[in-house]
Amino acid sequence: MKITAAEALVRCLENEQVEVVFGYPGGAILPVYDMLYDSGMRHVLARHEQGAVHAADGYARVSGRVGVCMATSGPGATNLVTGIANAYMDSVPMVLFTGQVPTTMVGTDSFQEVDITGISMPVTKHNYLIKEARQLPQIIKNAFHIASTGRPGPVLIDIPKDVAESEIYFEYPSQVKLWGYSPTYRGHPQKINEAVSAIQQSKRPVIYAGGGILNSGALEDLRNFAEIINAPVTNTFMGLSSFSGSHPLYLGMLGLHGSRYANRAISECDLLIALGARFDDRVTGKIAEFAPHAKVIHADIDPAEIGKNVLVDIPIVGDVKRILRAFNARLEPRENKEWVETVQQWKKDYPVTYKQDDNMLKPQYVIEKIYEHTGGNATIATDVGQHQMWVAQFYSFNRPRGLVSSGGLGCMGFGLPSAMGAQIGIPGEQVALVTSEGSFQMTMQEMATIVEQNLPVKIFILNNDSLGMVRQLQEVYCNKRYMATNLKFVPDFEVFARAYGVSAFSASSNEEVDKVVPEAFNTPGPVVVNCKVHQDENVTPMVLAGKGISNAIDV
Amino acid sequence: MRHTLAVLVENNPGVLARVSSLFSRRGYNIDSLAVGRTDDPAVSRMTIVVEGDARVLEQVNKQLHKLVDIIKISDITADEFVDRELVLIKVNADPSIRGEVMQIADVFRARIVDLGQNTITLECTGNGGKVNAFEEAVKPYCIKELVRTGKIAMWRGAKYTGFPGSSNKTNKEDE
Ligand SMILES: Cc1ncc(C[n+]2csc(CCOP(=O)(O)OP(=O)(O)O)c2C)c(N)n1
């Protein structure tokens, strides 16, 4: 029997066990929405396509499944672009469908036509424009495979309206058809042996673990590895929550706003073991001063990351989990007693702290209280800015995949929609959003979706009436010339929340925070907490542009 | 250093755009790029000449590999290969100097493909060096139009050594 390609699309999603689609309808994608009507598929209607794509992203991050998102042609498609770039930078598996004008009109600048495959080429892992309806099932099969295997990433499929309406014989393909695409999972045995002997010889090893640990599900293997060789572990921002925040070997985050002890450990180690990380410039600072005394082992699924930014002594391409298992099977336990003690001493010498002030609420205090209340077991979504770095510094993650945040792109506005997607991905669990008034205003229209979907996300706005992170940059680099970073008008977020029928609290002192944090978590449904925090607070330590990470300053 | 890459790609729409946008976005310098289908119509072959040191080339290779449409990449620079380029050149040549131009063409074994009232159009095939030399030689006659294809290249066949199985070397990474 023949069915339309639009119906086939829905069948394909069912075959891929998709449980929820985030999207926004329109003319060119009408045939697909018409088929969703009869299907049992859950559709979450965002209030802006950027909201839909970030929600699909948040959903994918917490669940490890492929996020699915739909939008119409033209403006619908271009509104997705920021979210696609965000998912691409952070290696999040996603499949996006966009409607397109009918094939006969493609290329004629017709109404709501935009070349979305062209636009999204540099920010997708792959993309397709379907020219013939019969290609659709195979393309969708391939897309889910590409998105979720190897180094994950977003795949976009553009479907002209007439293609969606054409009829095809439907059968879901059992196999992907891709000639040149085959990620390497197994680490090269010779390289593994080289790495093992380097580890056995090392006296001052450090493990530098990134988001690849989470993507490959290697948390337990990482813990075993660290414990076998007694090596301290530092996380990249994307790697946070891949190693227990309360483990004695843990050094927290490294890099530009990393802990002094993590950065010092990197600077003095004799062996750097990079796992599923990519030596981003926010991690390395001045490359020549990064791990200057160390031999470098770099294990990653993406061969192009190896040797891209730093020279590597032992490259291992493969799945980090398999590589760690191979290490663990071969390694003899090591003590590294002196080194571990030295690093422990540094942890005591330069703790990550902030100065309390009796007269003012410090933003870090709010995060500490959220941590205390949740025991580090909540999933925390953030926006971008100072508050994001404070979460990294003061919230100690005990739940794997517990952080939902825009790392590579640093995309303000990611917070609320991603928290919403995350809550849909882990319905029974606690999801909180830590944001600030600047970022929140970029996508706060999604409050409607949160209410409509009845998502009990607890929203903490660290309201400092300023674009704090940029204000900090202006303080440090521009001689306190605060250009366009003081927000002279900020809406009353309590009134805003009530307009959506959402419970709202506010706090402007430690005592109020002590009271309001438990209250917020104990209130059913979504909650907004407006925390009036001190404006001049800076994220510290800070490595200035062009400096090595051992030269952090206090700001 | 200049490298010659032989790249097999799935013959999908947009594949050329993917490759060229990758080069421009990552700041790699393409000297030339020639593309056409192979004996299998579903597969195209690109010959890309790219300038860069070993580290750049490694990145080019790896980033190209990440494109889903790419089937295989071989850096054939270090191997024995034959390469050809074709040039069409139209020069000013009124009847009084046609003889001279034709003599030059003869030396380079170029062919005359068109004669106009005051012009002559020549076709020359060879490796890049020969094509350059030919271009230089006809320059004095005032080039009105010139088009080059970019280089295409292929390994030489295995030398006959008497041992079966001695075959072409490939540089495909096994990792
Ligand atoms: C979409 C977008 N635009 C601009 C920036 C640049 N930027 C980075 S942090 C920041 C300020 C964020 O302010 P806010 O959300 O209030 O957070 P705070 O730093 O005050 O905690 C800006 C403007 C960005 N990261 N993303």
Side-chain angles (χ1 to χ4, degrees), chain A residues 115-424:
Chain A
D115 172 17
I116 192 61
T117 43
I119 290 175
S120 66
M121 205 173 268
V123 292
T124 48
K125 188 169 171 188
H126 195 51
N127 63 21
Y128 294 94
L129 168 62
I130 304 191
K131 295 225 162 125
E132 287 173 63
R134 60 180 173 78
Q135 302 172 314
L136 178 134
Q138 187 67 57
I139 284 179
I140 294 180
K141 177 83 185 176
N142 291 353
F144 275 86
H145 180 75
I146 293 168
S148 59
T149 55
R151 180 176 179 177
V155 178
L156 180 138
I157 304 175
D158 198 23
I159 311 171
K161 194 172 182 187
D162 57 330
V163 168
E165 285 164 341
S166 328
E167 296 204 322
I168 56 168
Y169 288 105
F170 177 68
E171 192 188 341
Y172 197 57
S174 56
Q175 287 188 337
V176 295
K177 277 205 195 125
L178 292 161
W179 281 356
Y181 177 81
S182 68
T184 304
Y185 293 105
R186 188 165 157 268
H188 197 288
Q190 190 196 325
K191 295 292 171 198
I192 293 203
N193 286 339
E194 282 175 32
V196 166
S197 67
I199 293 166
Q200 304 283 25
Q201 280 157 26
S202 146
K203 296 200 168 57
R204 301 186 311 276
V206 169
I207 298 167
Y208 148 51
I213 301 289
L214 296 166
N215 278 336
S216 79
L219 288 92
E220 212 176 297
D221 309 282
L222 173 63
R223 199 190 60 226
N224 293 341
F225 177 58
E227 287 174 356
I228 293 170
I229 64 167
N230 262 304
V233 178
T234 177
N235 269 144
T236 66
F237 180 72
M238 289 306 296
L240 290 173
S241 85
S242 68
F243 196 80
S244 167
S246 41
H247 197 288
L249 286 169
Y250 189 56
L251 300 181
M253 183 174 76
L254 81 165
L256 234 68
H257 290 301
S259 67
R260 286 180 183 277
Y261 41 88
N263 287 347
R264 179 144 187 207
I266 294 281
S267 303
E268 300 196 11
C269 69
D270 67 355
L271 179 69
L272 181 68
I273 309 163
L275 304 170
R278 61 185 179 92
F279 295 86
D280 181 78
D281 52 282
R282 294 291 145 121
V283 160
T284 60
K286 186 176 178 186
I287 293 264
E289 291 174 22
F290 187 74
H293 312 295
K295 200 171 200 170
V296 178
I297 299 172
H298 189 185
D300 200 280
I301 191 113
D302 182 354
E305 289 302 347
I306 296 180
K308 185 178 82 177
N309 295 346
V310 299
L311 292 173
V312 170
D313 299 285
I314 306 172
I316 314 176
V317 178
D319 177 37
V320 163
K321 183 175 184 159
R322 292 180 66 158
I323 293 167
L324 279 173
R325 291 205 166 159
F327 283 173
N328 291 348
R330 287 171 179 71
L331 282 163
E332 299 288 330
R334 296 192 51 83
E335 291 232 346
N336 295 321
K337 195 156 171 283
E338 214 176 301
W339 172 237
V340 171
E341 278 170 7
T342 308
V343 173
Q344 296 297 359
Q345 189 55 45
W346 293 340
K347 273 171 90 167
K348 291 197 194 94
D349 292 347
Y350 332 106
V352 178
T353 57
Y354 63 97
K355 281 196 202 75
Q356 287 275 13
D357 187 323
D358 289 343
N359 304 318
M360 283 177 267
L361 174 58
K362 291 291 182 91
Q364 299 95 325
Y365 185 79
V366 181
I367 292 163
E368 278 182 341
K369 287 295 139 182
I370 296 173
Y371 168 70
E372 280 171 25
H373 185 81
T374 59
N377 292 311
T379 294
I380 307 289
T382 81
D383 260 301
V384 172
Q386 292 180 313
H387 65 277
Q388 178 188 34
M389 291 299 112
W390 286 319
V391 166
Q393 292 178 329
F394 294 97
Y395 191 93
S396 184
F397 289 89
N398 287 318
R399 187 197 184 283
R401 296 176 173 274
L403 173 66
V404 178
S405 191
S406 169
L409 193 67
C411 174
M412 289 171 72
F414 179 68
L416 185 64
S418 70
M420 153 182 130
Q423 186 71 81
I424 288 170

Side-chain angles (χ1 to χ4, degrees), chain A residues 384-387 410 412 436-439 442 464 466-470:
Chain A
V384 172
Q386 292 180 313
H387 65 277
M412 289 171 72
S436 181
E437 78 301 319
S439 298
M442 285 210 173
N464 53 6
S466 85
L467 304 178
M469 187 56 107
V470 180

Side-chain angles (χ1 to χ4, degrees), chain B residues 93-107 120 122 137-138 140-141:
Chain B
D94 55 54
S96 65
I97 55 165
R98 264 188 200 159
E100 273 176 57
V101 175
M102 282 156 87
Q103 260 179 4
I104 294 171
D106 228 25
V107 172
I120 189 164
L122 304 156
V138 296
Y141 300 93

